[in-house]
């Protein structure tokens, strides 16, 4: 059974609305158009201000994320290959001479101090640092290795002076050496700086990492 509602009359009217109900069925609104046929009324929903992104946007974001991950992996792979193929062999005669050290040392919580210094490696296995005309000499250990391994050097030097140090203090330095890939005449070392506590009787304790450094010289 249907009931006509609206202002339309015959076929020339603007149309009307009808409601139909069956047993156990909710009310359904129909729209009677000019052709005289009842059509279910469709309500347009307002555009949503939030919710999930359209499938095309989600796919684009996923593709961009995968592209960035692939670029990072490729860059890491290229860097690893270049590092593996670059020349690494250094002799002890290459090490002998004056080196400039650029140091970054932690001297407290959230306190990082940069300190340049100069040390000289001698042919007899001695490394010398100078401050106010006073020399500090120590022994260094050079390990010569062949490709693809790096040559290494370990030494102690009074080459670091923090903001609360009246004079340079002794630190332990361990580094890898390699010639420059673009300029074989330039040598570089890169390594870590350690603080070695000493007991009241002069015994050395366990070393504690406190910074990093880079060194360079021309051969």
């Amino acid at each position: 059974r249907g009931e006509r509602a609206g202002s339309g009359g015959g076929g020339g009217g603007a149309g009307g609305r009808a409601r139909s109900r069956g047993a156990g069925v909710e009310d359904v609104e129909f729209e009677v158009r000019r052709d005289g046929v009842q059509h279910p009324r469709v309500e347009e929903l307002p555009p949503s201000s939030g919710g999930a992104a359209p499938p095309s946007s989600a796919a684009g974001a996923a593709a961009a994320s995968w592209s960035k991950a692939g670029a990072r992996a490729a860059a890491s792979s290229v860097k690893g290959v270049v590092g593996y193929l670059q020349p690494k062999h250094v002799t002890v005669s290459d090490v002998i001479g004056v080196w400039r050290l650029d140091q970054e040392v932690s001297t407290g919580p959230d306190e990082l101090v940069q300190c340049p210094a100069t040390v000289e490696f001698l042919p007899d296995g001695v490394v010398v640092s100078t401050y106010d005309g006073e020399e500090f000499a120590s022994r260094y250990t050079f390990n010569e290795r062949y490709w693809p391994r790096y040559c290494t050097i370990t030494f102690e030097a009074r080459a670091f002076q923090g903001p609360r140090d009246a004079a340079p203090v002794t630190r332990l330095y361990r580094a890898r050496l390699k010639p420059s890939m673009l300029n074989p005449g330039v040598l570089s070392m890169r390594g870590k700086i350690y603080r070695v506590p000493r007991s009241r009787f002069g015994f050395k304790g366990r070393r504690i990492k406190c910074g990093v450094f880079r060194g360079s010289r021309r051969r």
Side-chain angles (χ1 to χ4, degrees), residues 39-64:
H39 299 271
R41 183 184 178 191
V42 179
E43 295 185 359
E44 296 184 359
L45 298 178
S48 176
S49 60
S56 58
S57 300

Side-chain angles (χ1 to χ4, degrees), residues 16-92:
R17 296 178 184 175
R19 299 176 63 90
S20 175
R21 175 182 294 179
V25 181
E26 296 182 352
D27 289 351
V28 179
E29 290 191 359
F30 292 91
E31 184 177 4
V32 181
R33 299 180 182 175
R34 294 178 181 272
D35 55 3
V37 181
Q38 295 183 355
H39 299 271
R41 183 184 178 191
V42 179
E43 295 185 359
E44 296 184 359
L45 298 178
S48 176
S49 60
S56 58
S57 300
S65 177
W66 279 105
S67 299
K68 291 181 180 179
R72 288 194 297 266
S76 177
S77 300
V78 171
K79 183 178 179 181
V81 171
V82 172
Y84 183 78
L85 295 178
Q86 70 179 2
K88 300 180 176 66
H89 185 250
V90 176
T91 64
V92 67

Side-chain angles (χ1 to χ4, degrees), residues 5-204:
S7 59
R17 296 178 184 175
R19 299 176 63 90
S20 175
R21 175 182 294 179
V25 181
E26 296 182 352
D27 289 351
V28 179
E29 290 191 359
F30 292 91
E31 184 177 4
V32 181
R33 299 180 182 175
R34 294 178 181 272
D35 55 3
V37 181
Q38 295 183 355
H39 299 271
R41 183 184 178 191
V42 179
E43 295 185 359
E44 296 184 359
L45 298 178
S48 176
S49 60
S56 58
S57 300
S65 177
W66 279 105
S67 299
K68 291 181 180 179
R72 288 194 297 266
S76 177
S77 300
V78 171
K79 183 178 179 181
V81 171
V82 172
Y84 183 78
L85 295 178
Q86 70 179 2
K88 300 180 176 66
H89 185 250
V90 176
T91 64
V92 67
S93 60
D94 296 326
V95 176
I96 295 172
V98 178
W99 288 73
R100 172 186 169 86
L101 306 182
D102 295 312
Q103 309 171 84
E104 290 187 353
V105 179
S106 174
T107 57
D110 301 327
E111 184 179 33
L112 190 65
V113 177
Q114 296 182 352
C115 178
T118 301
V119 297
E120 182 178 5
F121 296 95
L122 304 179
D124 56 356
V126 175
V127 56
V128 178
S129 57
T130 305
Y131 177 75
D132 282 348
E134 181 181 356
E135 289 188 350
F136 172 80
S138 179
R139 305 293 299 182
Y140 67 85
T141 302
F142 173 75
N143 294 319
E144 184 175 357
R145 295 169 176 166
Y146 292 91
W147 185 89
R149 304 180 68 187
Y150 286 96
C151 299
T152 62
I153 191 168
T154 304
F155 62 95
E156 282 189 343
R158 287 182 184 173
F160 173 75
Q161 184 175 5
R164 290 176 289 275
D165 297 324
V169 294
T170 303
R171 292 289 182 263
L172 176 66
Y173 298 80
R174 301 188 66 182
R176 301 186 305 182
L177 299 108
K178 64 177 182 178
S180 172
M181 192 170 184
L182 300 178
N183 188 355
V186 176
L187 289 178
S188 65
M189 65 170 67
R190 178 180 296 184
K192 301 176 182 179
I193 306 174
Y194 299 89
R195 180 170 55 88
V196 183
R198 294 180 181 268
S199 67
R200 56 188 301 182
F201 301 105
F203 296 104
K204 295 182 179 181

